[in-house]
Amino acid sequence: MYKIAYFSAEIGISSKLPTYSGGLGVLAGDHIKAAADASVPLCAVTLLYKEGYFKQRIDEEGNQTETYPRFDPDPIMQQLPVEFSLPLQGRVVNIRAWQYIHRGLTGHEIPIFLLDTDVESNRPEDRIITLRLYSGDKNHRILQEAILGFGGIRLLQALNINNIESYHMNEGHCSFLTLELLRKYKGNQDEVRKRCVFTTHTPVPAGHDHFAMERCKNLLDGLIPDNLELPSLVQNSRMHMTELGLYFSRAANGVSKLHGSVARDQFPDFAINHITNGVYHNYWVGKPFRELFDRVFPRWRLNPEELLRIDEIPDEDILEARRSLKNFLLGYANSQTQKALSENILTLGFARRAASYKRARLIFRDLDRLVEIGQGKIQIIFAGKAHPKDDLGKDILKDIVGNANRLFGTVKVVFLENYNMWLGRIITAGVDVWLNTPVRPHEASGTSGMKATLNGIPNLSVLDGWWDEACQDGVNGWAIGSRSETDDEKDADHLYSILEHQVIPTYYNDQDRWLKLIRAAIKTGVRFTAHRMMRDYENQLYK
Ligand SMILES: *Cc1c(COP(=O)(O)O)cnc(C)c1O
């Protein structure tokens, strides 16, 4: 039976399921896939968002509009024959659950349970609690987190899943589960703490949910014990979801070495280690490389360490796989835009959520210089969604498209709509260089760069998150800026200088050296697979 219950507000297991928004969800999906391949006795709990996050359209000026196509779960999910409820806002909210089975490479199955309040017997305003991911106001968010945390534990009970040894909270959205366990164990905190582990994912304070205690108590009828004594929480009269999860956990981790130390500064009352994220290589490695590796390293899917023998593969085969991945991406990009991107031009990629710390605009800081260095020599592909209520995020998208328009006829820049796992895979496999310019140390880990690496794509990135521990400057990619300070002007200047003096000349004039970069990138990727990550979770967190 299941020993680990993995809770996450979003899970990105396939682009078929709209139940994720970005890195956190995709990581959760990769965690589950790696657990399945390693036959880890894990089940997962999340919410069923029937209108997902949203589908993105971007007009010619860069304005984002959102639509919400409705998800039809049949036949990839089955409704489970259980119904249970929670007392919320003075009434009873009925909850049902769906099951999606992920089967690993050796046949081990992991069920994902998706909670759903769209039940006929509920009032219309309760039926939409789980409708959309990260939607609504604070009250709505508390209700969603209550369904996930309190409701998730009630679901496991309804399914007779009774022997969980580790309730794994993937970020604070799930932390209410600790209070439901506290009730189950009759107020004995040690019994709860014995069974809970926590992973924190963001160094950005605004990324941590906290709610006024009064508001929580008003919405969650009797679910929060009156005598709850959580030192810093009570002191601030706030329910800080990360602190709540950490307080009731026997062990906790950040998601890269650097982030571990940042998280310890953020939450000094708790012992926090780190387990660096990894990506599920069998999904993120593009098809031509999958076929090539299947041929040369038949065991690489379960043993990605086989890829350390990449030097046994001839140059021509590697170049052919790279060409094929690039052609596929450019074919797609050219079908969506009218910029006639060329297969012979060095292509940079930048795709991620439009959050301001990610500094998507850094490369446009000096357009004249960008043209001087890059005209006829580089082209850039962007993608990424802004949260529907995030006006600053939407401004970022407008600026990217605005700059692309200003650069018309010089350096080609395209924006591809509706970044999701499918697009993520073809972009992170198809470009020549993966660009990342966050404000250090605000990128907890970053995983898109790992996906690129496994496809033989060197990273050109600030030394933040995973890249801080992976970068060998000039060998598997390049380091932008310094570890001691972050400064837009200096970082942009350094970025231009690396492009001009290293990336562009190597790409066009030194194919041997470029091949070495490709091989070194793939070897680096071996350290950042979800398989390695799962071993770390088993040895450090689940033990
Ligand atoms: C991998 C991935 C992310 C996370 O990328 P970061 O580099 O961590 O920002 C976000 N969205 C999608 C669709 C992805 O595939």
Side-chain angles (χ1 to χ4, degrees), residues 194-208:
K194 243 174 23 196
R195 293 175 170 83
C196 290
V197 297
F198 190 92
T199 301
T200 174
H201 286 266
T202 175
V204 182
H208 297 264

Side-chain angles (χ1 to χ4, degrees), residues 20-27 30 277 279 283-284 351-353 357-358 418-425 428 434 436 443 445-451 466:
Y20 66 95
S21 82
L24 181 74
V26 174
L27 178 87
D30 282 5
N277 281 342
V279 296
Y283 182 84
W284 295 108
R352 41 187 60 85
R353 277 184 309 118
Y357 77 85
K358 298 202 183 234
N418 205 35
Y419 185 44
N420 57 22
M421 288 178 70
W422 182 85
L423 187 55
R425 174 153 75 171
T428 57
W434 193 247
N436 194 17
E443 180 96 298
S445 160
T447 51
S448 57
M450 302 172 183
K451 301 167 192 168
W466 80 290

Side-chain angles (χ1 to χ4, degrees), residues 124-360:
E125 60 268 40
D126 294 335
R127 292 183 70 161
I128 61 170
I129 293 176
T130 56
L131 187 65
R132 293 177 184 174
L133 174 58
Y134 302 143
S135 63
D137 54 13
K138 285 225 168 207
N139 285 3
H140 192 99
R141 191 134 173 155
I142 291 170
L143 293 172
Q144 283 195 332
E145 296 187 11
I147 303 291
L148 178 62
F150 295 104
I153 298 295
R154 289 187 186 192
L155 168 72
L156 296 180
Q157 231 144 20
L159 295 174
N160 280 319
I161 296 176
N162 291 319
N163 295 317
I164 295 296
E165 292 169 5
S166 299
Y167 294 89
H168 185 175
M169 289 168 269
N170 191 41
E171 196 56 281
H173 314 115
C174 343
S175 296
F176 282 138
L177 75 82
T178 60
L179 300 182
E180 186 65 10
L181 289 175
L182 195 60
R183 176 198 326 279
K184 181 172 168 183
Y185 293 105
K186 308 205 164 39
N188 187 334
Q189 296 196 354
D190 291 336
E191 289 296 321
V192 179
R193 200 166 289 115
K194 243 174 23 196
R195 293 175 170 83
C196 290
V197 297
F198 190 92
T199 301
T200 174
H201 286 266
T202 175
V204 182
H208 297 264
D209 278 338
H210 48 89
F211 310 112
M213 190 64 93
E214 270 314 299
R215 189 194 284 274
C216 291
K217 289 198 166 161
N218 285 338
L219 291 169
L220 314 177
D221 307 331
L223 289 171
I224 297 179
D226 277 333
N227 53 353
L228 192 61
E229 287 257 347
L230 315 176
S232 68
L233 304 182
V234 170
Q235 177 193 323
N236 302 322
S237 333
R238 291 193 78 76
M239 181 65 88
H240 189 294
M241 297 304 284
T242 303
E243 288 196 11
L244 177 66
L246 287 169
Y247 181 77
F248 281 110
S249 287
R250 65 168 193 258
N253 69 294
V255 290
S256 69
K257 190 164 182 224
L258 177 61
H259 176 235
S261 71
V262 174
R264 283 188 286 281
D265 289 344
Q266 263 179 310
F267 303 105
D269 296 342
F270 305 101
I272 302 176
N273 292 311
H274 79 271
I275 294 174
T276 302
N277 281 342
V279 296
Y280 185 66
H281 63 288
N282 294 306
Y283 182 84
W284 295 108
V285 170
K287 194 161 177 236
F289 271 128
R290 288 204 300 274
E291 289 171 353
L292 177 60
F293 297 156
D294 279 342
R295 215 160 17 85
V296 186
F297 310 126
R299 287 151 33 87
W300 76 285
R301 287 173 181 264
L302 285 171
N303 297 294
E305 289 77 13
E306 297 269 300
L307 297 183
L308 292 172
R309 292 163 46 206
I310 188 73
D311 290 343
E312 295 171 21
I313 297 184
D315 291 350
E316 196 37 55
D317 290 350
I318 288 182
L319 289 174
E320 181 50 38
R322 292 271 354 114
R323 261 195 298 275
S324 157
L325 288 164
K326 184 171 179 179
N327 284 354
F328 188 81
L329 169 63
L330 296 186
Y332 176 75
N334 286 334
S335 78
Q336 299 293 304
T337 62
Q338 313 218 19
K339 292 265 177 85
L341 299 183
S342 159
E343 281 132 34
N344 301 318
I345 303 257
L346 170 65
T347 305
L348 310 185
F350 186 107
R352 41 187 60 85
R353 277 184 309 118
S356 58
Y357 77 85
K358 298 202 183 234
R359 287 197 301 186

Side-chain angles (χ1 to χ4, degrees), residues 75-92:
I76 58 171
M77 286 182 195
Q78 296 75 46
Q79 205 177 312
L80 292 169
V82 288
E83 201 171 298
F84 49 97
S85 63
L86 278 180
L88 301 172
Q89 305 184 85
R91 52 185 186 262
V92 169

